[in-house]
Short mmCIF file of all heavy atoms in Angstrom, two decimals:
data_model
loop_
_atom_site.label_atom_id
_atom_site.label_comp_id
_atom_site.label_asym_id
_atom_site.label_seq_id
_atom_site.Cartn_x
_atom_site.Cartn_y
_atom_site.Cartn_z
N MET A 1 115.27 96.05 86.45
CA MET A 1 114.30 95.25 87.16
C MET A 1 114.74 95.13 88.62
O MET A 1 115.90 94.95 88.91
CB MET A 1 114.19 93.87 86.53
CG MET A 1 113.18 93.02 87.25
SD MET A 1 113.01 91.33 86.68
CE MET A 1 112.71 91.49 84.97
N CYS A 2 113.81 95.23 89.49
CA CYS A 2 114.07 95.15 90.92
C CYS A 2 114.26 93.68 91.33
O CYS A 2 113.47 92.82 90.97
CB CYS A 2 112.89 95.76 91.69
SG CYS A 2 113.04 95.64 93.47
N ALA A 3 115.30 93.43 92.09
CA ALA A 3 115.56 92.07 92.55
C ALA A 3 114.63 91.69 93.70
O ALA A 3 114.41 90.51 93.96
CB ALA A 3 117.01 91.95 92.99
N HIS A 4 114.09 92.68 94.38
CA HIS A 4 113.23 92.41 95.54
C HIS A 4 111.85 91.90 95.12
O HIS A 4 111.35 90.93 95.66
CB HIS A 4 113.10 93.68 96.39
CG HIS A 4 112.47 93.45 97.72
ND1 HIS A 4 113.10 92.76 98.72
CD2 HIS A 4 111.26 93.79 98.20
CE1 HIS A 4 112.31 92.70 99.77
NE2 HIS A 4 111.18 93.32 99.48
N CYS A 5 111.24 92.57 94.15
CA CYS A 5 109.88 92.19 93.73
C CYS A 5 109.84 91.56 92.35
O CYS A 5 108.77 91.28 91.83
CB CYS A 5 108.98 93.41 93.77
SG CYS A 5 109.38 94.65 92.53
N ASN A 6 111.01 91.37 91.74
CA ASN A 6 111.11 90.78 90.41
C ASN A 6 110.39 91.60 89.35
O ASN A 6 109.82 91.09 88.40
CB ASN A 6 110.59 89.34 90.42
CG ASN A 6 111.11 88.54 89.25
OD1 ASN A 6 112.12 88.89 88.66
ND2 ASN A 6 110.43 87.47 88.93
N GLY A 7 110.35 92.92 89.54
CA GLY A 7 109.77 93.82 88.56
C GLY A 7 108.26 93.93 88.60
O GLY A 7 107.67 94.59 87.76
N GLU A 8 107.60 93.29 89.56
CA GLU A 8 106.14 93.33 89.62
C GLU A 8 105.62 94.51 90.42
O GLU A 8 104.45 94.86 90.32
CB GLU A 8 105.60 92.04 90.24
CG GLU A 8 105.80 90.84 89.35
CD GLU A 8 105.13 89.61 89.93
OE1 GLU A 8 104.20 89.76 90.74
OE2 GLU A 8 105.53 88.50 89.55
N GLY A 9 106.45 95.10 91.27
CA GLY A 9 106.01 96.23 92.07
C GLY A 9 105.40 95.83 93.40
O GLY A 9 105.06 96.68 94.20
N ALA A 10 105.26 94.53 93.62
CA ALA A 10 104.70 94.05 94.88
C ALA A 10 105.16 92.62 95.13
O ALA A 10 105.57 91.91 94.21
CB ALA A 10 103.18 94.10 94.85
N ILE A 11 105.10 92.24 96.38
CA ILE A 11 105.44 90.89 96.78
C ILE A 11 104.13 90.21 97.18
O ILE A 11 103.33 90.79 97.90
CB ILE A 11 106.42 90.90 97.96
CG1 ILE A 11 107.69 91.65 97.54
CG2 ILE A 11 106.77 89.51 98.44
CD1 ILE A 11 108.20 92.55 98.60
N HIS A 12 103.92 89.00 96.71
CA HIS A 12 102.69 88.28 96.99
C HIS A 12 103.02 87.11 97.92
O HIS A 12 103.82 86.25 97.57
CB HIS A 12 102.05 87.78 95.71
CG HIS A 12 101.85 88.85 94.70
ND1 HIS A 12 100.84 89.78 94.80
CD2 HIS A 12 102.55 89.19 93.59
CE1 HIS A 12 100.91 90.62 93.79
NE2 HIS A 12 101.94 90.28 93.04
N LYS A 13 102.41 87.09 99.10
CA LYS A 13 102.60 86.00 100.04
C LYS A 13 101.30 85.21 100.15
O LYS A 13 100.22 85.79 100.17
CB LYS A 13 102.96 86.54 101.42
CG LYS A 13 104.34 87.09 101.52
CD LYS A 13 104.66 87.43 102.96
CE LYS A 13 106.08 87.90 103.10
NZ LYS A 13 106.40 88.22 104.50
N PHE A 14 101.43 83.89 100.21
CA PHE A 14 100.24 83.04 100.34
C PHE A 14 100.08 82.65 101.80
O PHE A 14 101.02 82.20 102.45
CB PHE A 14 100.36 81.80 99.47
CG PHE A 14 99.19 80.88 99.62
CD1 PHE A 14 97.97 81.23 99.06
CD2 PHE A 14 99.28 79.71 100.33
CE1 PHE A 14 96.86 80.41 99.20
CE2 PHE A 14 98.19 78.88 100.47
CZ PHE A 14 96.98 79.22 99.91
N HIS A 15 98.88 82.83 102.31
CA HIS A 15 98.51 82.38 103.64
C HIS A 15 97.35 81.42 103.49
O HIS A 15 96.76 81.30 102.41
CB HIS A 15 98.08 83.57 104.52
CG HIS A 15 99.13 84.61 104.68
ND1 HIS A 15 100.24 84.46 105.47
CD2 HIS A 15 99.26 85.83 104.11
CE1 HIS A 15 100.99 85.54 105.42
NE2 HIS A 15 100.42 86.39 104.59
N THR A 16 96.96 80.75 104.54
CA THR A 16 95.84 79.81 104.46
C THR A 16 94.54 80.51 104.14
O THR A 16 93.63 79.92 103.57
CB THR A 16 95.69 79.03 105.78
OG1 THR A 16 95.53 79.97 106.85
CG2 THR A 16 96.89 78.16 106.06
N PHE A 17 94.43 81.81 104.47
CA PHE A 17 93.20 82.56 104.20
C PHE A 17 93.24 83.28 102.86
O PHE A 17 92.29 83.92 102.48
CB PHE A 17 92.93 83.56 105.32
CG PHE A 17 94.08 84.49 105.61
CD1 PHE A 17 94.27 85.64 104.86
CD2 PHE A 17 94.97 84.20 106.62
CE1 PHE A 17 95.31 86.49 105.12
CE2 PHE A 17 96.03 85.05 106.89
CZ PHE A 17 96.20 86.20 106.14
N GLY A 18 94.35 83.19 102.13
CA GLY A 18 94.43 83.83 100.82
C GLY A 18 95.77 84.50 100.60
O GLY A 18 96.71 84.33 101.38
N TYR A 19 95.85 85.28 99.55
CA TYR A 19 97.08 85.97 99.21
C TYR A 19 97.13 87.35 99.86
O TYR A 19 96.12 88.01 100.02
CB TYR A 19 97.20 86.15 97.69
CG TYR A 19 97.62 84.89 96.98
CD1 TYR A 19 96.68 84.06 96.40
CD2 TYR A 19 98.95 84.53 96.90
CE1 TYR A 19 97.05 82.90 95.75
CE2 TYR A 19 99.34 83.37 96.25
CZ TYR A 19 98.39 82.56 95.67
OH TYR A 19 98.78 81.41 95.04
N GLU A 20 98.33 87.76 100.21
CA GLU A 20 98.57 89.09 100.75
C GLU A 20 99.50 89.81 99.78
O GLU A 20 100.51 89.26 99.37
CB GLU A 20 99.22 88.99 102.12
CG GLU A 20 99.57 90.30 102.74
CD GLU A 20 100.30 90.14 104.06
OE1 GLU A 20 100.74 89.03 104.38
OE2 GLU A 20 100.43 91.15 104.76
N THR A 21 99.16 91.01 99.39
CA THR A 21 99.98 91.80 98.49
C THR A 21 100.68 92.88 99.28
O THR A 21 100.03 93.71 99.91
CB THR A 21 99.12 92.43 97.38
OG1 THR A 21 98.42 91.40 96.70
CG2 THR A 21 99.97 93.19 96.40
N ILE A 22 102.00 92.87 99.24
CA ILE A 22 102.81 93.84 99.98
C ILE A 22 103.55 94.68 98.95
O ILE A 22 104.30 94.15 98.13
CB ILE A 22 103.82 93.11 100.90
CG1 ILE A 22 103.08 92.17 101.84
CG2 ILE A 22 104.67 94.11 101.65
CD1 ILE A 22 103.96 91.21 102.57
N PRO A 23 103.37 96.01 98.97
CA PRO A 23 104.09 96.87 98.02
C PRO A 23 105.60 96.75 98.21
O PRO A 23 106.09 96.55 99.31
CB PRO A 23 103.62 98.28 98.37
CG PRO A 23 102.36 98.09 99.14
CD PRO A 23 102.48 96.77 99.83
N CYS A 24 106.32 96.86 97.12
CA CYS A 24 107.78 96.78 97.14
C CYS A 24 108.33 98.01 97.88
O CYS A 24 107.90 99.13 97.63
CB CYS A 24 108.32 96.73 95.73
SG CYS A 24 110.12 96.58 95.66
N PRO A 25 109.32 97.82 98.77
CA PRO A 25 109.88 98.95 99.49
C PRO A 25 110.85 99.79 98.65
O PRO A 25 111.25 100.88 99.07
CB PRO A 25 110.62 98.29 100.66
CG PRO A 25 110.95 96.93 100.18
CD PRO A 25 109.83 96.55 99.26
N ASN A 26 111.21 99.33 97.48
CA ASN A 26 112.14 100.05 96.61
C ASN A 26 111.47 101.32 96.09
O ASN A 26 110.37 101.29 95.55
CB ASN A 26 112.57 99.14 95.46
CG ASN A 26 113.69 99.72 94.65
OD1 ASN A 26 114.05 100.88 94.79
ND2 ASN A 26 114.25 98.90 93.78
N GLU A 27 112.15 102.45 96.20
CA GLU A 27 111.59 103.75 95.80
C GLU A 27 111.27 103.79 94.30
O GLU A 27 110.26 104.36 93.88
CB GLU A 27 112.58 104.87 96.16
CG GLU A 27 112.07 106.25 95.88
CD GLU A 27 110.91 106.65 96.78
OE1 GLU A 27 110.84 106.16 97.92
OE2 GLU A 27 110.08 107.46 96.33
N VAL A 28 112.10 103.17 93.48
CA VAL A 28 111.88 103.17 92.03
C VAL A 28 110.58 102.43 91.69
O VAL A 28 109.79 102.89 90.87
CB VAL A 28 113.08 102.53 91.30
CG1 VAL A 28 112.82 102.40 89.82
CG2 VAL A 28 114.34 103.33 91.55
N CYS A 29 110.36 101.31 92.35
CA CYS A 29 109.13 100.54 92.11
C CYS A 29 107.90 101.31 92.58
O CYS A 29 106.86 101.27 91.93
CB CYS A 29 109.20 99.20 92.81
SG CYS A 29 110.41 98.07 92.09
N GLN A 30 108.01 102.00 93.70
CA GLN A 30 106.89 102.78 94.20
C GLN A 30 106.52 103.90 93.23
O GLN A 30 105.34 104.13 92.97
CB GLN A 30 107.21 103.34 95.57
CG GLN A 30 107.29 102.29 96.64
CD GLN A 30 107.71 102.86 97.98
OE1 GLN A 30 107.89 104.06 98.12
NE2 GLN A 30 107.87 101.99 98.97
N GLN A 31 107.52 104.57 92.68
CA GLN A 31 107.24 105.63 91.71
C GLN A 31 106.60 105.06 90.45
O GLN A 31 105.67 105.64 89.90
CB GLN A 31 108.54 106.37 91.36
CG GLN A 31 109.11 107.16 92.50
CD GLN A 31 108.16 108.22 93.01
OE1 GLN A 31 107.45 108.86 92.24
NE2 GLN A 31 108.13 108.39 94.32
N ARG A 32 107.09 103.89 89.99
CA ARG A 32 106.48 103.27 88.81
C ARG A 32 105.04 102.88 89.09
O ARG A 32 104.16 103.08 88.24
CB ARG A 32 107.30 102.04 88.41
CG ARG A 32 106.80 101.44 87.09
CD ARG A 32 107.41 100.12 86.77
NE ARG A 32 106.88 99.13 87.70
CZ ARG A 32 107.60 98.22 88.33
NH1 ARG A 32 108.89 98.16 88.15
NH2 ARG A 32 107.03 97.37 89.15
N ASN A 33 104.77 102.34 90.28
CA ASN A 33 103.40 101.97 90.63
C ASN A 33 102.48 103.19 90.63
O ASN A 33 101.34 103.10 90.18
CB ASN A 33 103.36 101.30 92.01
CG ASN A 33 103.93 99.91 91.99
OD1 ASN A 33 104.10 99.32 90.95
ND2 ASN A 33 104.24 99.40 93.17
N LEU A 34 102.97 104.32 91.13
CA LEU A 34 102.15 105.54 91.13
C LEU A 34 101.87 106.02 89.71
O LEU A 34 100.75 106.45 89.40
CB LEU A 34 102.84 106.64 91.93
CG LEU A 34 102.89 106.42 93.44
CD1 LEU A 34 103.73 107.49 94.11
CD2 LEU A 34 101.48 106.41 94.01
N ARG A 35 102.87 105.95 88.82
CA ARG A 35 102.66 106.35 87.42
C ARG A 35 101.65 105.42 86.75
O ARG A 35 100.76 105.88 86.03
CB ARG A 35 103.98 106.33 86.65
CG ARG A 35 104.90 107.47 86.95
CD ARG A 35 106.04 107.55 85.95
NE ARG A 35 106.77 106.31 85.82
CZ ARG A 35 107.82 105.94 86.55
NH1 ARG A 35 108.26 106.75 87.50
NH2 ARG A 35 108.42 104.80 86.35
N GLU A 36 101.77 104.11 86.98
CA GLU A 36 100.83 103.16 86.38
C GLU A 36 99.42 103.36 86.92
O GLU A 36 98.45 103.25 86.18
CB GLU A 36 101.30 101.73 86.63
CG GLU A 36 102.52 101.35 85.83
CD GLU A 36 103.02 99.95 86.15
OE1 GLU A 36 102.42 99.27 87.02
OE2 GLU A 36 104.01 99.55 85.54
N TYR A 37 99.31 103.66 88.21
CA TYR A 37 98.00 103.91 88.80
C TYR A 37 97.35 105.14 88.18
O TYR A 37 96.17 105.12 87.84
CB TYR A 37 98.13 104.11 90.32
CG TYR A 37 96.90 104.72 90.93
CD1 TYR A 37 95.74 103.97 91.11
CD2 TYR A 37 96.87 106.06 91.29
CE1 TYR A 37 94.60 104.54 91.64
CE2 TYR A 37 95.73 106.63 91.83
CZ TYR A 37 94.61 105.86 92.01
OH TYR A 37 93.48 106.43 92.53
N GLU A 38 98.13 106.19 88.02
CA GLU A 38 97.59 107.43 87.43
C GLU A 38 97.12 107.19 86.00
O GLU A 38 96.05 107.65 85.60
CB GLU A 38 98.66 108.53 87.48
CG GLU A 38 98.14 109.89 87.13
CD GLU A 38 97.11 110.42 88.11
OE1 GLU A 38 97.18 110.07 89.31
OE2 GLU A 38 96.23 111.18 87.67
N ALA A 39 97.90 106.46 85.22
CA ALA A 39 97.51 106.15 83.84
C ALA A 39 96.24 105.29 83.82
O ALA A 39 95.34 105.53 83.01
CB ALA A 39 98.64 105.45 83.12
N SER A 40 96.16 104.33 84.71
CA SER A 40 94.98 103.47 84.79
C SER A 40 93.75 104.27 85.19
O SER A 40 92.66 104.07 84.64
CB SER A 40 95.23 102.34 85.78
OG SER A 40 94.07 101.59 85.97
N ARG A 41 93.91 105.17 86.15
CA ARG A 41 92.79 106.00 86.60
C ARG A 41 92.27 106.87 85.46
O ARG A 41 91.06 107.02 85.28
CB ARG A 41 93.24 106.88 87.77
CG ARG A 41 92.11 107.63 88.44
CD ARG A 41 92.61 108.53 89.55
NE ARG A 41 93.47 109.59 89.08
CZ ARG A 41 93.04 110.70 88.46
NH1 ARG A 41 91.77 110.88 88.25
NH2 ARG A 41 93.89 111.63 88.07
N LYS A 42 93.17 107.41 84.65
CA LYS A 42 92.76 108.24 83.51
C LYS A 42 92.02 107.41 82.47
O LYS A 42 91.04 107.88 81.89
CB LYS A 42 93.98 108.91 82.89
CG LYS A 42 94.54 110.03 83.75
CD LYS A 42 95.76 110.65 83.12
CE LYS A 42 96.34 111.73 84.02
NZ LYS A 42 97.56 112.32 83.46
N ARG A 43 92.48 106.18 82.22
CA ARG A 43 91.79 105.31 81.25
C ARG A 43 90.38 104.97 81.72
O ARG A 43 89.43 105.01 80.94
CB ARG A 43 92.59 104.02 81.02
CG ARG A 43 93.81 104.20 80.16
CD ARG A 43 94.37 102.85 79.72
NE ARG A 43 94.65 101.96 80.84
CZ ARG A 43 95.82 101.88 81.49
NH1 ARG A 43 96.81 102.66 81.14
NH2 ARG A 43 95.97 101.02 82.48
N VAL A 44 90.23 104.66 83.00
CA VAL A 44 88.91 104.33 83.54
C VAL A 44 87.99 105.54 83.48
O VAL A 44 86.82 105.42 83.12
CB VAL A 44 89.04 103.79 84.98
CG1 VAL A 44 87.69 103.70 85.66
CG2 VAL A 44 89.73 102.45 84.98
N ALA A 45 88.52 106.72 83.82
CA ALA A 45 87.70 107.94 83.78
C ALA A 45 87.24 108.22 82.35
O ALA A 45 86.09 108.62 82.14
CB ALA A 45 88.49 109.12 84.33
N ALA A 46 88.11 107.99 81.37
CA ALA A 46 87.73 108.21 79.97
C ALA A 46 86.63 107.23 79.56
O ALA A 46 85.68 107.61 78.87
CB ALA A 46 88.94 108.06 79.08
N LYS A 47 86.73 105.99 79.98
CA LYS A 47 85.69 105.01 79.66
C LYS A 47 84.37 105.37 80.31
O LYS A 47 83.30 105.22 79.69
CB LYS A 47 86.12 103.62 80.11
CG LYS A 47 87.19 102.99 79.26
CD LYS A 47 87.52 101.61 79.76
CE LYS A 47 88.62 100.97 78.93
NZ LYS A 47 88.95 99.62 79.42
N LEU A 48 84.41 105.87 81.53
CA LEU A 48 83.18 106.28 82.19
C LEU A 48 82.53 107.47 81.49
O LEU A 48 81.32 107.51 81.32
CB LEU A 48 83.45 106.62 83.66
CG LEU A 48 83.71 105.43 84.58
CD1 LEU A 48 84.12 105.91 85.96
CD2 LEU A 48 82.49 104.55 84.67
N ARG A 49 83.35 108.45 81.08
CA ARG A 49 82.80 109.60 80.34
C ARG A 49 82.17 109.15 79.03
O ARG A 49 81.11 109.63 78.65
CB ARG A 49 83.90 110.63 80.08
CG ARG A 49 84.25 111.46 81.29
CD ARG A 49 85.12 112.66 80.92
NE ARG A 49 86.34 112.28 80.21
CZ ARG A 49 87.50 111.95 80.80
NH1 ARG A 49 87.58 111.93 82.11
NH2 ARG A 49 88.55 111.64 80.08
N GLU A 50 82.83 108.23 78.34
CA GLU A 50 82.29 107.72 77.07
C GLU A 50 80.96 106.99 77.31
O GLU A 50 80.01 107.17 76.55
CB GLU A 50 83.30 106.76 76.44
CG GLU A 50 82.83 106.16 75.14
CD GLU A 50 83.80 105.13 74.61
OE1 GLU A 50 85.00 105.24 74.89
OE2 GLU A 50 83.33 104.23 73.90
N ALA A 51 80.88 106.20 78.38
CA ALA A 51 79.64 105.48 78.68
C ALA A 51 78.54 106.45 79.07
O ALA A 51 77.37 106.23 78.72
CB ALA A 51 79.88 104.48 79.81
N GLU A 52 78.88 107.51 79.79
CA GLU A 52 77.88 108.52 80.15
C GLU A 52 77.29 109.15 78.90
O GLU A 52 76.08 109.36 78.81
CB GLU A 52 78.50 109.60 81.03
CG GLU A 52 78.72 109.18 82.46
CD GLU A 52 79.37 110.28 83.29
OE1 GLU A 52 79.86 111.27 82.71
OE2 GLU A 52 79.38 110.14 84.51
N LYS A 53 78.14 109.46 77.92
CA LYS A 53 77.65 110.06 76.68
C LYS A 53 76.80 109.07 75.89
O LYS A 53 75.76 109.42 75.36
CB LYS A 53 78.83 110.51 75.82
CG LYS A 53 79.54 111.72 76.35
CD LYS A 53 80.70 112.09 75.46
CE LYS A 53 81.53 113.21 76.05
NZ LYS A 53 82.72 113.50 75.22
N ARG A 54 77.27 107.83 75.81
CA ARG A 54 76.59 106.84 74.99
C ARG A 54 75.23 106.45 75.57
O ARG A 54 74.25 106.34 74.85
CB ARG A 54 77.44 105.58 74.85
CG ARG A 54 76.82 104.60 73.88
CD ARG A 54 77.53 103.29 73.71
NE ARG A 54 78.95 103.34 73.88
CZ ARG A 54 79.69 102.29 74.21
NH1 ARG A 54 79.13 101.13 74.43
NH2 ARG A 54 80.99 102.39 74.34
N PHE A 55 75.16 106.24 76.88
CA PHE A 55 73.93 105.74 77.48
C PHE A 55 73.11 106.82 78.18
O PHE A 55 71.99 106.56 78.59
CB PHE A 55 74.25 104.62 78.49
CG PHE A 55 74.92 103.44 77.85
CD1 PHE A 55 76.23 103.13 78.17
CD2 PHE A 55 74.26 102.66 76.93
CE1 PHE A 55 76.86 102.05 77.58
CE2 PHE A 55 74.88 101.58 76.34
CZ PHE A 55 76.18 101.27 76.66
N GLY A 56 73.67 108.00 78.35
CA GLY A 56 72.93 109.09 78.97
C GLY A 56 72.73 108.89 80.47
O GLY A 56 71.80 109.41 81.05
N VAL A 57 73.61 108.14 81.10
CA VAL A 57 73.53 107.87 82.53
C VAL A 57 74.70 108.53 83.22
O VAL A 57 75.84 108.42 82.77
CB VAL A 57 73.55 106.36 82.81
CG1 VAL A 57 73.52 106.08 84.30
CG2 VAL A 57 72.39 105.67 82.12
N LYS A 58 74.43 109.23 84.30
CA LYS A 58 75.50 109.87 85.05
C LYS A 58 75.98 108.91 86.14
O LYS A 58 75.19 108.41 86.94
CB LYS A 58 75.04 111.17 85.67
CG LYS A 58 74.62 112.18 84.66
CD LYS A 58 75.33 113.47 84.97
CE LYS A 58 74.88 114.52 83.99
NZ LYS A 58 75.93 114.97 83.17
N VAL A 59 77.28 108.66 86.17
CA VAL A 59 77.86 107.77 87.17
C VAL A 59 77.70 108.35 88.56
O VAL A 59 77.48 107.63 89.53
CB VAL A 59 79.35 107.51 86.85
CG1 VAL A 59 80.00 106.67 87.94
CG2 VAL A 59 79.49 106.83 85.51
N SER A 60 77.77 109.65 88.68
CA SER A 60 77.65 110.28 89.99
C SER A 60 76.26 110.10 90.59
O SER A 60 76.07 110.20 91.80
CB SER A 60 77.98 111.78 89.89
OG SER A 60 77.10 112.40 88.97
N GLU A 61 75.25 109.83 89.76
CA GLU A 61 73.89 109.64 90.26
C GLU A 61 73.61 108.20 90.68
O GLU A 61 72.58 107.92 91.25
CB GLU A 61 72.89 110.05 89.19
CG GLU A 61 72.92 111.53 88.88
CD GLU A 61 71.99 111.89 87.74
OE1 GLU A 61 71.37 110.98 87.14
OE2 GLU A 61 71.88 113.08 87.44
N MET A 62 74.52 107.30 90.39
CA MET A 62 74.30 105.90 90.73
C MET A 62 74.62 105.63 92.17
O MET A 62 75.38 106.18 92.81
CB MET A 62 75.15 105.00 89.85
CG MET A 62 74.77 105.12 88.41
SD MET A 62 75.80 104.04 87.41
CE MET A 62 74.56 103.10 86.63
#
């Protein structure tokens, strides 16, 4: 676990206008974030393909 971001992959700072998310500068955390993003992107793409088949609507036409 990264001591800088506490294993979250980002640091969250609160300002009066809201939260700011700053990516962790640690190389290991950045690589993990990229792997998680890629896995998430694949899951979303699979759900979109399934919805296209089920409802007959093309996402690219929306």
Side-chain angles (χ1 to χ4, degrees):
M1 180 184 306
C2 177
H4 191 70
C5 68
N6 201 21
E8 292 186 22
I11 301 139
H12 307 283
K13 287 187 176 181
F14 178 73
H15 301 285
T16 57
F17 54 84
Y19 283 97
E20 177 184 12
T21 303
I22 303 167
C24 182
N26 189 349
E27 184 68 29
V28 175
C29 291
Q30 291 176 3
Q31 293 300 322
R32 186 189 71 224
N33 287 345
L34 290 174
R35 285 192 307 271
E36 289 177 359
Y37 165 75
E38 190 64 31
S40 174
R41 188 182 65 77
K42 287 179 182 178
R43 285 192 305 270
V44 169
K47 286 181 181 180
L48 287 173
R49 283 192 304 272
E50 179 185 332
E52 284 179 347
K53 288 179 186 175
R54 186 183 329 156
F55 299 113
V57 177
K58 298 231 182 244
V59 175
S60 59
E61 294 176 356
M62 296 180 124

